[in-house]
Amino acid sequence: MLQLTKDTFAVFVPLGLIGFYRYLWFTIKLLAYFFYRPMKPKDNPTYRPEYDVTIVVPTIDAGEEFKEAAHSWLENNPKEIIIITETKMREPLQELANSVDPTRIRVLTVPKANKRLQMVEGIRNATSEIVVFADDDAIWAPTTLEYILACFEDPNMGGVGTSQTVKSVGRYQTVWEVLAGFRLTIRNIEIAASTHIDGGVCCLSGRTAAYRTCILQDPQFQYQFTHDFWLGKYPLNSGDDKFLTRWMVYHGWNTYVQVCKEAELLSTFKDNWRFVKQVLRWTRNTWRSDFRSLFTERRIWSRHPYVAFTMVDKIFNPITLLSGPISVMAMMIKGDFHLPIWDIIISYVVWLMMTRIVKLLPHLFRRPQDIIWVPAFLIFGYYFAIMKIYALFTLHEVGWGTRAGIDQTPAELAQEKEKQQLEQQEQQQQQQQQPRLDTEKTALSHSAATQAAISAAAAAATATHYEQQQLMQKNMSMNVDLPPRPDSPGSRDLIRHFSRQQEQQAQRQAGQQRAGRSQRMEEIDDNDNEYYEDPDVYEYNQDDELAQYFAQADAALASMEEEDYGHSRTINHGYGRGGSSRGGGKGGYM
């Protein structure tokens, strides 16, 4: 390289420094990766899968790969598996779940396909200590849950992730799947290094990640999780794993990633050009999340400084990556080199290939046949640098990109938001009108109820008075000792349930009747019997022989008149309520 750059050495010094920094940074990551160790399960663990784990799987179009994934989950023996889909997909998903295990797989629905809403629905139905989110094609190792739960022995542990590798859709991996495998290898190195250095991670991948249920069932979390907007107006559906990771960091929970074969998961990727759309969505989510972590929330700087520095490094990565080939091309066009152009191109490409192979050594040890795709990875790397710049200027694009039925353009989002605002205005108008309507209805109902009560009370009083008058006339005409007791005093019971004014009026009428009765007592013969209207008699003496009762009452009245008052006009007695017994009868008086 010194031979190539001797003509314009001063120009290539800054590029050399950038290259030195890049490879020094990669060496630090590689060393941390080799020193990283996963957490091992205890012999007597605090958490057990069969008691403490619910697997939540949001999906809309699970295919045959779901069966293989579901069998791998069941092999880990969780307490329950909850599948959440949209309403119209319930029947095929239910059939798919029943074909695997109808006893431990439950299917729930939401009205509209939205991953975050589906996840929240699963959270609300979880009854275990730990919730594990999984993609419908994530195939686990038999010991995955055992190693995930080992991290939760730390009471401050909030979220745990795993390492990943690619499972081919067909018999052989396509170039797109190999590129995904290369990216996952580099990612596994990065997350293991950051976990070892300061315990942080840029993102707990949503393909499989576990969290404490108490964190997820917090109403504040669920509200913010489902009301996440970029710049306050673009609703975010994807990027759920980024949000969850930031939530753990901001609220003081620890995170960890188990990078080991025992917890490694297999996952399918797009085996065609649509893989590029996946990468574009992930890139936009990374930009948005990193900006929030670094400049809005800023908790990452104090808790995980190494992770914060990697986020800053990613911001400038496209520039540093593109600076090399752009500089070489510029010098070639200018013609300042002493060597032929083809020698320059071949030498530069060989250098880039060697450095990329070094980065991919962990992957090539496992799949050496993929070495033929290293040139494709080199080209894709530069394309990815351009894509990152494009994604930076299109962060308002929040569509999913690869899932049919849930993508929305900004125009559609604006239209839907306008529709929601109109609906909210209508609801507010209805709410403002509702109190007035309720007041009118209440006033009408109260007026009707009052009128009905007064009418019923008047009718009952009239009926009682008529019965008593007829009974008195009959007794006086027949000159019998006592009248038979009325069959039912229900009309008097009805009166007592109405207003206080009615009761007071009844008491005044009773007092007038007792005064009139006292005056009549002086005129009737001692052998004649008289019926005295007193409602309390019937309430408290329904089982007495009325002849015996009235005989005792007359004797008591006469005695009190002679001893205390001297004349019967001033006597005012009430029977029954709170009285004590006299002689052999059960009646009471006051």
Side-chain angles (χ1 to χ4, degrees):
M1 292 301 295
L2 292 175
Q3 177 68 18
L4 290 173
T5 60
K6 69 177 184 177
D7 294 331
T8 53
F9 187 77
V11 175
F12 280 95
V13 168
L15 297 178
L17 293 176
I18 293 174
F20 176 77
Y21 157 74
R22 298 299 309 168
Y23 291 106
L24 175 63
W25 186 242
F26 177 74
T27 302
I28 294 173
K29 292 184 197 176
L30 204 60
L31 289 174
Y33 169 72
F34 283 122
F35 283 105
Y36 163 86
R37 294 293 180 271
M39 292 187 182
K40 300 293 184 180
K42 291 184 177 181
D43 294 334
N44 187 22
T46 303
Y47 299 101
R48 299 179 181 274
E50 61 271 23
Y51 301 114
D52 302 307
V53 175
T54 297
I55 301 174
V56 174
V57 185
T59 184
I60 58 170
D61 53 1
E64 286 300 316
E65 66 274 6
F66 169 80
K67 291 185 178 180
E68 184 178 2
H71 283 297
S72 72
W73 305 333
L74 292 172
E75 192 174 355
N76 282 263
N77 198 27
K79 178 181 179 181
E80 186 181 25
I81 299 174
I82 301 177
I83 312 296
I84 306 95
T85 185
E86 58 181 330
T87 304
K88 66 181 181 180
M89 293 297 295
R90 180 185 180 90
E91 185 175 349
L93 262 297
Q94 188 65 64
E95 292 178 359
L96 199 60
N98 292 341
S99 66
V100 179
D101 189 339
T103 60
R104 285 197 291 173
I105 300 180
R106 189 155 48 114
V107 178
L108 304 177
T109 62
V110 294
K112 182 180 178 181
N114 183 293
K115 186 178 181 182
R116 297 200 185 196
L117 294 178
Q118 292 171 245
M119 293 171 69
V120 169
E121 182 66 18
I123 293 168
R124 291 173 178 172
N125 286 273
T127 58
S128 59
E129 293 288 334
I130 306 296
V131 168
V132 181
F133 295 113
D135 281 0
D136 55 17
D137 60 349
I139 301 171
W140 293 358
T143 55
T144 296
L145 278 186
E146 185 180 359
Y147 271 74
I148 287 177
L149 294 179
C151 301
F152 287 102
E153 297 293 335
D154 176 6
N156 295 321
M157 188 65 64
V160 178
T162 64
S163 57
Q164 306 174 43
T165 190
V166 176
K167 180 183 183 301
S168 61
V169 176
R171 185 176 180 181
Y172 300 103
Q173 290 189 7
T174 65
V175 61
W176 306 104
E177 293 173 309
V178 173
L179 292 176
F182 286 157
R183 287 173 56 87
L184 287 182
T185 297
I186 295 175
R187 179 184 184 276
N188 290 337
I189 293 173
E190 290 177 348
I191 60 177
S194 64
T195 300
H196 175 72
I197 292 174
D198 69 356
V201 62
C202 291
C203 177
L204 295 173
S205 173
R207 294 187 179 274
T208 292
Y211 301 91
R212 292 190 184 273
T213 307
C214 62
I215 302 174
L216 305 180
Q217 289 185 343
D218 179 7
Q220 182 183 5
F221 163 79
Q222 294 184 9
Y223 179 82
Q224 295 192 24
F225 186 62
T226 55
H227 294 75
D228 189 17
F229 293 85
W230 174 248
L231 300 179
K233 57 182 178 179
Y234 300 108
L236 300 179
N237 183 15
S238 62
D240 50 276
D241 47 3
K242 298 280 188 181
F243 183 97
L244 282 162
T245 306
R246 294 200 321 271
W247 187 273
M248 299 298 123
V249 174
Y250 189 80
H251 291 83
W253 293 96
N254 294 338
T255 57
Y256 203 85
V257 180
Q258 292 284 60
V259 183
C260 57
K261 294 293 293 184
E262 293 82 358
E264 188 174 67
L265 66 92
L266 296 172
S267 182
T268 59
F269 288 78
K270 300 298 180 183
D271 59 350
N272 50 36
W273 65 271
R274 291 176 67 84
F275 170 72
V276 176
K277 299 187 71 175
Q278 276 187 318
V279 175
L280 179 59
R281 184 183 76 241
W282 298 335
T283 305
R284 288 184 178 131
N285 289 332
T286 299
W287 277 119
R288 287 188 286 253
S289 182
D290 288 356
F291 282 153
R292 286 177 168 180
S293 294
L294 293 171
F295 307 119
T296 303
E297 298 167 356
R298 298 190 298 274
R299 199 67 64 87
I300 192 77
W301 292 100
S302 58
R303 293 206 62 203
H304 307 295
Y306 174 83
V307 176
F309 188 79
T310 60
M311 291 180 179
V312 174
D313 177 72
K314 288 178 183 178
I315 293 176
F316 298 101
N317 178 261
I319 299 175
T320 59
L321 185 61
L322 293 173
S323 62
I326 291 175
S327 299
V328 171
M329 291 174 61
M331 294 299 175
M332 288 170 50
I333 295 173
K334 190 176 181 181
D336 291 340
F337 285 105
H338 64 283
L339 295 175
I341 294 178
W342 284 109
D343 290 349
I344 299 173
I345 294 175
I346 292 174
S347 300
Y348 187 67
V349 170
V350 169
W351 168 254
L352 293 176
M353 290 285 293
M354 290 177 58
T355 56
R356 295 308 183 272
I357 289 175
V358 171
K359 287 186 175 181
L360 296 174
L361 279 177
H363 179 93
L364 296 177
F365 281 140
R366 188 165 51 181
R367 286 181 55 89
Q369 66 270 30
D370 290 343
I371 194 172
I372 61 174
W373 297 115
V374 173
F377 178 70
L378 178 63
I379 296 172
F380 181 80
Y382 289 111
Y383 171 79
F384 178 67
I386 299 172
M387 178 191 292
K388 287 189 70 173
I389 298 174
Y390 169 76
L392 176 62
F393 291 97
T394 57
L395 295 181
H396 60 279
E397 297 285 347
V398 295
W400 197 272
T402 56
R403 295 180 69 180
I406 63 174
D407 286 340
Q408 291 178 297
T409 64
E412 292 172 337
L413 289 171
Q415 185 178 4
E416 183 174 349
K417 188 172 183 179
E418 182 179 359
K419 182 180 179 181
Q420 292 176 353
Q421 290 176 350
L422 291 174
E423 292 177 352
Q424 290 177 356
Q425 291 177 359
E426 292 178 358
Q427 291 177 357
Q428 290 176 356
Q429 291 177 358
Q430 292 177 358
Q431 291 175 356
Q432 292 174 356
Q433 294 176 357
Q434 191 64 31
R436 179 174 57 83
L437 296 174
D438 292 342
T439 302
E440 294 177 355
K441 290 180 180 180
T442 303
L444 291 174
S445 62
H446 285 176
S447 177
T450 303
Q451 292 177 359
I454 294 173
S455 300
T462 302
T464 302
H465 182 69
Y466 175 78
E467 292 174 359
Q468 293 172 348
Q469 292 293 334
Q470 292 294 322
L471 191 57
M472 288 175 62
Q473 294 177 5
K474 183 178 179 181
N475 291 337
M476 293 177 66
S477 61
M478 294 178 63
N479 194 23
V480 295
D481 292 338
L482 285 173
R485 184 166 61 91
D487 294 333
S488 173
S491 60
R492 291 183 300 280
D493 294 335
L494 181 63
I495 294 174
R496 286 194 295 273
H497 287 80
F498 295 112
S499 66
R500 180 66 178 170
Q501 294 180 353
Q502 295 292 331
E503 293 181 0
Q504 292 175 353
Q505 183 178 0
Q507 291 175 1
R508 287 195 297 268
Q509 292 177 355
Q512 294 174 1
Q513 291 173 358
R514 283 194 293 269
R517 182 182 60 192
S518 299
Q519 295 176 0
R520 289 195 301 272
M521 287 175 60
E522 299 176 352
E523 302 175 356
I524 60 176
D525 187 78
D526 293 338
N527 295 326
D528 292 334
N529 296 320
E530 183 69 34
Y531 175 76
Y532 304 105
E533 295 179 316
D534 190 345
D536 293 332
V537 171
Y538 294 100
E539 181 178 359
Y540 291 91
N541 299 282
Q542 295 177 3
D543 298 329
D544 293 347
E545 292 295 329
L546 294 183
Q548 183 180 1
Y549 175 82
F550 282 122
Q552 295 175 353
D554 290 342
L557 286 172
S559 175
M560 292 179 66
E561 178 186 5
E562 294 174 356
E563 295 176 3
D564 300 329
Y565 299 97
H567 55 86
S568 61
R569 188 174 56 86
T570 59
I571 296 176
N572 185 15
H573 286 278
Y575 293 91
R577 187 164 292 151
S580 59
S581 61
R582 287 273 184 168
K586 297 181 181 179
Y589 66 94
M590 295 179 65

